[in-house]
């Protein structure tokens, strides 16, 4: 049913820390690996070893350059379904294949009902819906619904595959409906924000902004940093020998 | 936005069919139709055929056409579902209306009522088609006050041109039908021009800085896309072929969809019946080609907000 629930008992979602994400793509590959055998199976690929490889990926890692000069920074930006509170992708669905779960707020597609009209992908502002060209139906992040409630898994594995895979702890899973949950506290402490809040879809997933830069050298403008010259020659004789060799070789 | 060719064909064909049904129902209520049951039967049949061909072709862009029937179920929230329901509902009064003419040989009294219901439902269907696009805030060029009215007037204009052709087939074309076509073509032209002005003059609504939330740290530029090859979102939402020729295609579509059919229809005011039939047929053909171009441009010019994540600066 594409009518939205008025409230959901839980608001399960992710916090993504843009400060610690290193853009390693582990979450994306882990997502693909799990979900091509899970609820969304298969996540078809087209021409995977050819000239124009593409396929359904539910999690994609963008990379942006922000700011200029010494103040510029690289921000790795994982993007997947935000499990919005008022998702337009659900209400536009003509078949009822798209729905938002009343119990935990997860937005899902029933692959047996989807007709592949792609209208939900037009309605999503975040480009989170991925059409499976071979199956002819829409695929999307399920928040690993087949992991988080799966009692056959060890308790520490009952989190989305992307969260489990992240080597830097940049992804956190929890209930935003509970103000005392890990994700609610983290969002509050770090100023977590919504993507495109103006559009009114009320995303559940939150992004933590990069922290202010601490390294003064990179903040100075480049000419001042150059004026300081090379680091002074101190330390052992061997170290000074290497520095002398470096100087000679530079000529 | 990637133009789904079957959808373009669908909205053009069914739009003309629905427009024809609107004019048939209304003209009948005012007793303007020729007193010839075969005219009404063939006209309604043609309109329903166009609607059916359109609906059928629209299922070709589906990943699972075999499940298309499910699209009738979510009319409470989905404009696409409402369109399906309204289009299907239009068949019933149309068939009753045609049957009434066949039985009584005239359109007065009890036959006029299903005719009016048919006209209203056809109008509602045109509106729902427009609202599928007009209700998407993710696409600036579609979320416009003029989007749904445009779909209605395009349908009415092509329906009016089609009506003059059918009248020319059966009898001499009455002056009211010629003026109906001229006025609705002019109106459609004016509305489309206003729509183009609106999307052209409006500033883009969102920036890459807003989409990523990183704008507060400075200018945001894409460093690396998520994958080396274009993915579904980029193929579907990032389509921009022909956008740079937009002005040329606009002029060409205005010429073929509105100006040429209007000129031919004006000549019909003074021409004889044989020439009229020829002119009306030419007007139908050109209006059809022009509207297909107009609709293609409607897709190609649409910029989706999700492309901001793929490096577009504004949308």
């Amino acid at each position: 049913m594409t009518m939205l629930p008025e409230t959901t008992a839980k608001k399960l979602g992710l916090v993504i820390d843009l400060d610690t994400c290193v853009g390693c793509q582990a979450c994306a590959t882990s997502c693909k690996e799990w979900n091509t055998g899970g609820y969304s199976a298969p996540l078809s690929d087209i021409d995977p070893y050819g000239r124009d490889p593409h396929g359904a990926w539910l999690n994609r890692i963008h990379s942006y350059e922000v700011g200029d000069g010494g103040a510029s920074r690289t921000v790795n930006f994982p993007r997947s379904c935000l499990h919005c509170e008022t998702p337009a992708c659900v209400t536009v669905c003509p078949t009822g294949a798209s729905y938002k779960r009343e119990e935990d707020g997860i937005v899902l597609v029933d692959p047996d009902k989807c007709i592949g009209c792609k209208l939900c992908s037009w309605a999503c502002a975040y480009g989170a819906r991925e059409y499976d060209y071979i199956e002819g139906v829409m695929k999307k992040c399920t928040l690993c619904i087949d992991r988080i409630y799966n009692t056959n898994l060890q308790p520490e594995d009952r989190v989305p595959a992307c969260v489990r895979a992240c080597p830097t702890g940049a992804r956190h899973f929890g209930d935003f409906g509970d103000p005392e949950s890990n994700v609610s506290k983290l969002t509050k402490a770090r100023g977590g924000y919504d993507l495109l809040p103006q559009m009114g879809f009320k995303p559940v997933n939150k992004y933590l902004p990069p922290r202010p830069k601490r390294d003064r050298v990179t903040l100075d403008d480049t000419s001042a940093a150059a004026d300081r010259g090379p680091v002074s020659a101190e330390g052992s004789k061997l170290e000074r020998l290497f520095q002398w060799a470096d100087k000679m070789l530079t000529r | 936005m990637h133009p789904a060719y079957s959808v373009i064909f669908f909205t053009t064909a069914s739009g003309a069919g629905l427009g024809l049904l609107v004019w048939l129902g209304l003209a009948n209520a005012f007793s303007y139709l020729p007193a010839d049951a075969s005219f009404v039967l063939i006209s309604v049949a043609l309109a329903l055929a166009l609607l059916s061909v359109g609906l059928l072709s629209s299922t070709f862009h589906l990943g699972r056409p075999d499940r298309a029937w499910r699209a009738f179920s979510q009319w409470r929230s989905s404009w696409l579902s409402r369109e399906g329901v309204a289009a299907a509902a239009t068949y019933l009064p149309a068939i009753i209306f045609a049957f009434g003419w066949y039985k009584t040989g005239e359109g007065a009294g009890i036959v006029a009522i299903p005719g009016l219901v048919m006209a209203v439902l056809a109008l509602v269907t045109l509106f729902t088609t427009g609202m599928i696009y007009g209700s998407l805030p993710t696409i600036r060029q579609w979320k416009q006050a003029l989007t749904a009215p445009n779909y209605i007037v395009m349908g009415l204009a092509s329906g009016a041109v089609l009506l003059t052709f059918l009248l020319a087939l059966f009898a001499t074309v009455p002056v009211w039908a010629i003026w109906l076509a001229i006025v609705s073509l002019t109106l459609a032209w004016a509305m489309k021009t206003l729509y183009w002005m609106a999307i052209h003059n409006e500033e883009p609504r969102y920036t890459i800085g807003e989409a990523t939330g990183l704008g507060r740290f400075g200018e945001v530029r894409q460093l690396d896309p998520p994958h080396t090859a274009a993915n579904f979102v980029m193929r579907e939402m990032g389509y921009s072929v022909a956008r740079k020729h937009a002005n040329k295609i606009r002029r060409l579509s205005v010429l073929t969809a509105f100006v040429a059919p209007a000129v031919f229809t004006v000549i019909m005011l003074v021409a004889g019946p044989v020439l009229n039939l020829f002119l009306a047929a030419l007007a139908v053909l050109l209006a059809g080609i022009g509207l297909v171009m107009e609709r293609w441009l409607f897709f190609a010019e649409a910029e989706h907000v999700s492309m901001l994540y793929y490096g577009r600066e504004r949308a």
Side-chain angles (χ1 to χ4, degrees), chain B residues 212-236:
Chain B
T212 56
L214 298 170
R216 63 187 125 156
F217 301 109
E219 190 202 335
V220 181
R221 298 171 293 274
Q222 179 174 245
L223 196 60
D224 278 323
H227 284 74
T228 48
N231 60 29
F232 159 70
V233 175
M234 296 164 81
R235 284 162 209 262
E236 181 80 1

Side-chain angles (χ1 to χ4, degrees), chain A residues 221-240:
Chain A
D221 69 318
T222 29
S223 59
D227 284 349
R228 255 200 300 278
V231 184
S232 62
E234 279 170 32
S236 66
K237 280 189 177 133
L238 190 64
E239 215 166 300
R240 269 181 294 191

Side-chain angles (χ1 to χ4, degrees), chain A residues 1-2 52-54 60-65 67 79 91-92 94 96 111 114-116 122-124 131 193 199, chain B residues 61 63-64 67 70-71 74 76-78 137-138 212 216 219 221 223-224 226-227 229 231 235-236 304 309-310:
Chain A
M1 194 61 205
T2 57
D52 189 22
H54 64 104
R60 292 186 184 269
I61 322 305
H62 298 253
S63 169
Y64 301 104
E65 189 178 36
R79 185 190 46 73
T91 52
V92 300
C114 177
I115 59 174
W122 297 2
C124 174
Y131 183 66
Y193 64 92
M199 299 212 73
Chain B
H61 93 286
R64 302 295 292 254
R67 299 174 179 169
R70 287 188 184 275
Q74 303 302 310
R76 289 204 298 163
S77 74
S78 165
T138 46
T212 56
R216 63 187 125 156
E219 190 202 335
R221 298 171 293 274
L223 196 60
D224 278 323
H227 284 74
N231 60 29
R235 284 162 209 262
E236 181 80 1
H304 197 278
Y309 295 101
Y310 290 91

